[in-house]
Amino acid sequence: QAPWNQRSGSSWTRTVRSGVSCGTRMMLTSSAPGSVLTVTANKGSGSGFVLSEDGKVLTAAHVVTGSKFVKVSTSAGAECYGEVIASSKQRDLALLSVECAGLTPLPLGREPIVEGAEVFAIGTPLSDKLRFSVTKGVVSGIRTIEALDYIQSDVTLLPGGSGGPLLDASGNAIGVATSGITANSVPVGVNFFVPLSEIEKHLPIDLE
């Protein structure tokens, strides 16, 4: 078994239809489509999501490694361009500044993360044609690996989903997709997300 980063991004999925509250369905079909983006850089693509109305976008640092400028695509197919303005290799986080109309910041979760809670990952797995794919799972645990905190979840995470958000059942972003574990190159449902509480510690942005 070995950790893997989803450079071509997270969430190989089916759209969630059953066992989901009306509020969550509304979240997935209203605000989230304008908030979750496909990020294309020099060496590949991944996912990202909007943090602020002035076009600040969060993604995984390994998605934009070696790039100063990136292209972002919305779930509706609109394309815009942005700049990498900060990154943290240690936490695998990167901050982009994007000029694009119609972007909607995702609400951020402030409540404690509870093991067993229902969560959703959104991203662009494997192909741009699969942008805004949604997978459903639970919080499997809160882990500390090499002195860094991670949310572990069994949501499906495939190349292309790195940098995409992990949402709670109310549609609030609580984590950023970063990596997963495979056995013989096959995902085994052990995936890791950087908690949103880590963003301000490693990137120059105020989320209040």
Side-chain angles (χ1 to χ4, degrees), residues 6 15 42 51 53 55 77 86 98 117 129 164 172 200 202 206:
Q6 329 299 332
T15 301
N42 290 343
L51 288 176
E53 293 181 353
V98 175
K129 295 179 181 179
N172 302 308
E200 292 174 302
H202 297 272
D206 183 358

Side-chain angles (χ1 to χ4, degrees), residues 2-178:
W4 59 309
N5 285 325
Q6 329 299 332
R7 174 169 214 121
S8 269
S10 137
S11 317
W12 170 232
T13 40
R14 53 196 184 281
T15 301
V16 179
R17 297 186 184 278
S18 60
V20 181
S21 69
C22 290
T24 301
R25 280 201 193 94
M26 290 177 65
M27 171 275 297
L28 293 175
T29 57
S30 57
S31 62
S35 305
V36 182
L37 309 171
T38 302
V39 179
T40 303
N42 290 343
K43 299 180 181 180
S45 63
S47 303
F49 60 97
V50 183
L51 288 176
S52 63
E53 293 181 353
D54 64 352
K56 296 300 187 296
V57 170
L58 186 66
T59 188
H62 72 265
V63 170
V64 297
T65 296
S67 298
K68 178 63 174 174
F69 300 99
V70 298
K71 180 177 74 174
V72 300
S73 305
T74 68
S75 62
E79 295 184 351
C80 309
Y81 292 88
E83 180 179 1
V84 181
I85 59 174
S87 65
S88 169
K89 183 177 180 180
Q90 180 189 33
R91 283 270 58 183
D92 194 24
L93 296 171
L95 186 64
L96 315 178
S97 180
V98 175
E99 293 186 10
C100 196
L103 298 182
T104 304
L106 270 181
L108 306 181
R110 304 293 186 182
E111 299 299 318
I113 298 168
V114 179
E115 291 158 329
E118 184 177 74
V119 289
F120 300 85
I122 306 179
T124 304
L126 304 176
S127 167
D128 187 57
K129 295 179 181 179
L130 300 176
R131 58 180 173 256
F132 200 71
S133 291
V134 181
T135 56
K136 177 183 175 183
V138 299
V139 174
S140 304
I142 310 300
R143 309 298 181 195
T144 300
I145 303 172
E146 297 181 352
L148 299 174
D149 292 335
Y150 293 90
I151 303 167
Q152 179 189 334
S153 177
D154 63 347
V155 292
T156 304
L157 190 60
L158 292 178
S162 280
L166 184 70
L167 308 180
D168 64 18
S170 298
N172 302 308
I174 61 171
V176 187
T178 184

